[in-house]
Amino acid sequence: MRLTPDMIEEAAQFVNPLKERELDLRDRKIPVVENLAVTLDQFDCIDFSDNELRKLDGFPLLSRLSMLICNNNKIIKIAEDLYAAIPNIETLVLTGNTLEELGDLKGLAKLTKLKYLSLMRNPVAAKNHYRSYVIYTCPSVRVLDYKRVKQQERVAARKMFAGKKKAAIEAAKTFTPGEPVKQTPADKEAIKAAIAKASSLDEIRRLEMMLNSGTIPGF
């Protein structure tokens, strides 16, 4: 179903738990991002969960947008010029898509304000060196797959991808096991309660991202 101006104007709009204006475009079988210019850049968050997106592209300039939720789509490609359309994105949730190779994540590299990123339940998340690669490629990210990035991880990532090693690892196709756990109704209620009690914006964002993903990280 095409994302028409009428669909956008009729979609639910509300203030989310982070006190941000959110546009709800969930579960509409949308295959392509288009026509978002009609929003007049009035939203902090847009939720595209449970659609049929295959590419993360097609955005007009949305300077206000700080959170983009695209859980459970079919995304296989991230536009390398995505940064030009959503330059101030801080939270990006891509849980449950079909990104396969480390090289498929190059489009994230220039999102210089990105702090919270989830790529769980994508094939790429089972790749050798996945976490180190993302930490190196996206140095602004503070929380990856709901786990805070540690300074020693940053140091190790820089050493791992020095020189030509990054290109070689991008081309590798070796997988390692690991899957997150789906949330139960009790889990969801517990996360909501934790959001209500959270004492910092970082913690609220981490929990909100977890709640939207429908999963609990596997360790």
Side-chain angles (χ1 to χ4, degrees), residues 32-205:
V32 176
V33 175
E34 56 185 335
N35 293 315
L36 285 179
V38 301
T39 66
L40 301 178
D41 196 16
Q42 294 181 352
F43 296 96
D44 305 290
C45 175
I46 300 178
D47 191 345
F48 274 108
S49 297
D50 303 308
N51 282 292
E52 298 181 1
L53 300 179
R54 293 184 60 81
K55 296 181 180 179
L56 199 61
D57 65 2
F59 293 87
L61 177 60
L62 297 174
S63 298
R64 178 170 173 173
L65 191 68
S66 62
M67 178 184 290
L68 181 61
I69 305 170
C70 296
N71 294 319
N72 304 323
N73 278 268
K74 301 176 181 179
I75 295 170
I76 60 173
K77 181 178 177 60
I78 299 171
E80 294 195 17
D81 61 351
L82 185 63
Y83 69 94
I86 52 173
N88 296 312
I89 202 76
E90 295 182 359
T91 300
L92 180 58
V93 185
L94 296 174
T95 302
N97 282 281
T98 52
L99 294 160
E100 293 190 359
E101 306 296 335
L102 296 177
D104 295 337
L105 307 180
K106 290 179 181 179
L108 303 176
K110 293 183 179 180
L111 296 175
T112 58
K113 297 187 179 180
L114 186 61
K115 299 176 182 177
Y116 309 90
L117 174 64
S118 174
L119 293 163
M120 297 170 68
R121 291 197 288 115
N122 281 266
V124 70
K127 283 281 189 180
N128 284 335
H129 311 301
Y130 153 75
R131 186 171 173 87
S132 293
Y133 175 85
V134 176
I135 291 170
Y136 180 82
T137 302
C138 306
S140 63
V141 169
R142 298 179 185 175
V143 177
L144 173 60
D145 296 340
Y146 313 105
K147 295 175 65 176
R148 186 170 295 280
V149 176
K150 299 177 181 178
Q151 181 59 28
Q152 54 263 44
E153 289 183 294
R154 297 189 188 280
V155 173
R158 284 195 293 269
K159 290 180 179 179
M160 178 176 293
F161 292 103
K164 298 180 179 180
K165 292 181 181 178
K166 183 170 181 283
I169 293 176
E170 283 176 347
K173 297 186 178 181
T174 304
F175 286 79
T176 55
E179 283 292 332
V181 179
K182 290 185 178 180
Q183 292 172 11
T184 65
D187 291 330
K188 291 180 180 179
E189 291 304 316
I191 295 171
K192 290 178 181 178
I195 290 173
K197 296 178 181 178
S199 59
S200 69
L201 183 59
D202 277 1
E203 184 68 5
I204 292 173
R205 282 189 179 276

Side-chain angles (χ1 to χ4, degrees), residues 206-218:
R206 185 182 70 82
L207 291 167
E208 179 75 6
M209 192 166 66
M210 185 185 297
L211 180 65
N212 286 324
S213 77
T215 61
I216 297 174

